[in-house]
Amino acid sequence: MRRPMVAGNWKMHGTRASADALAQGVRQLAIPDSVEVAVLPPFLHVERVLEVLADSPIAVGAQNCAKEPWQGALTGEVSAAQLADAGCKLVLIGHSERRQLFGESDELLSRKFIAAQSHGLVPILCVGETLEQRQAGRTLEVVSEQLGSIIHELGIGAFFNAVIAYEPVWAIGTGLTATPAQAQAVHAAIRAQLAGESAEVAQGMRILYGGSVKATNAAELFGMADIDGGLIGGASLNADEFGAICRAAGC
Ligand code: PGA
């Protein structure tokens, strides 16, 4: 049995005051123990959110990390070592905004993935196709290449302690959601690809869906056999909405 996970990606949103208020709201949510919940604030707010969520079951993570695991003369970067030292438990790797807007390649992402793991952080590897790629019938090929390149670089063993998020780029922040059947088809293909390498990894892997998940569509998506929770952007900025999504994962 895989424990469902719901992670809130706050992206580059919030002031000190609003991040604090959102963390306080999240802390008060009634969430079933069966669901693992995490929030991923901007770097600047990580420490405050960790303070607010101390002694709560909700984990805190980051949205990115440097490819160099320790420290060094890398202006503007934040390392996995620093995130782990602060108390972070997870980190997003390869969100489509990083791939598209910051040109992050699969080769770079494999280095970030291993940097995260080398400090005990759980990487949440994001994969997903653009609208153009979907319309060209290339969805499974694109997703399989993104995942396959990390497996090729690091070996399947690196996936024992990782999470995968399938996020169709055309569904992120657009209000368009993949239908449960569309999402399930990709999740099943991801699991089959993992199974080709290791049945154990495939069986245990949490594969989250992301892309305009809301309280109103979460239960239907999370009800699919290979969807093990969600990566939530916009809707995670409202504690009540986020709570409802977390509860939907526990049904
Ligand atoms: P969204 O974002 O829920 O606002 O579509 C999801 C994500 O980018 O992780």
Side-chain angles (χ1 to χ4, degrees):
M1 228 346 229
R2 295 181 291 271
R3 186 175 179 214
M5 174 186 279
V6 177
N9 174 11
W10 294 3
K11 306 195 180 183
M12 196 177 71
H13 290 294
T15 59
R16 287 193 306 163
S18 73
D20 192 277
L22 181 53
Q24 305 277 1
V26 167
R27 188 186 168 92
Q28 278 154 28
L29 294 173
I31 295 169
D33 290 342
S34 58
V35 183
E36 188 174 341
V37 176
V39 292
L40 315 168
F43 286 136
L44 197 57
H45 301 315
V46 158
E47 287 220 272
R48 177 61 190 145
V49 173
L50 274 159
E51 272 169 30
V52 174
L53 295 177
D55 306 320
S56 93
I58 298 165
V60 178
Q63 301 165 18
N64 182 29
C65 69
K67 68 180 191 301
E68 289 76 10
W70 290 101
Q71 54 177 301
L74 291 158
T75 303
E77 290 292 271
V78 177
S79 73
Q82 291 169 320
L83 293 172
D85 176 58
C88 286
K89 301 282 183 236
L90 313 121
V91 61
L92 290 183
I93 301 289
H95 188 279
S96 66
E97 287 152 17
R98 305 267 352 146
R99 290 178 187 264
Q100 293 203 312
L101 306 174
F102 300 94
E104 295 195 352
S105 66
D106 288 324
E107 195 268 329
L108 173 75
L109 297 176
S110 69
R111 293 188 58 188
K112 292 189 173 199
F113 189 108
I114 202 71
Q117 281 189 332
S118 69
H119 289 284
L121 299 173
V122 175
I124 303 178
L125 175 68
C126 304
V127 296
E129 82 289 1
T130 63
L131 185 58
E132 225 177 13
Q133 290 165 334
R134 173 163 284 266
Q135 284 170 343
R138 296 185 51 224
T139 298
L140 297 184
E141 175 200 333
V142 167
V143 168
S144 147
E145 266 173 30
Q146 290 169 339
L147 175 58
S149 75
I150 310 286
I151 298 176
H152 177 77
E153 288 291 326
L154 304 179
I156 191 68
F159 283 81
F160 273 105
N161 203 13
V163 173
I164 295 174
Y166 167 57
E167 298 202 306
V169 178
W170 49 271
I172 294 177
T174 57
L176 295 173
T177 316
T179 63
Q182 279 174 326
Q184 165 60 24
V186 181
H187 284 233
I190 291 171
R191 205 177 301 286
Q193 183 175 359
L194 295 170
E197 308 281 338
S198 159
E200 202 184 339
V201 168
Q203 221 170 32
M205 177 61 69
R206 269 95 56 91
I207 309 176
L208 315 183
Y209 170 78
S212 298
V213 177
K214 301 183 262 307
T216 48
N217 59 22
E220 217 191 342
L221 285 158
F222 299 164
M224 304 307 283
D226 289 294
I227 302 184
D228 307 306
L231 179 57
I232 319 301
S236 74
L237 298 174
N238 176 309
D240 291 336
E241 175 93 7
F242 186 61
I245 295 169
C246 294
R247 285 190 293 279
C251 296

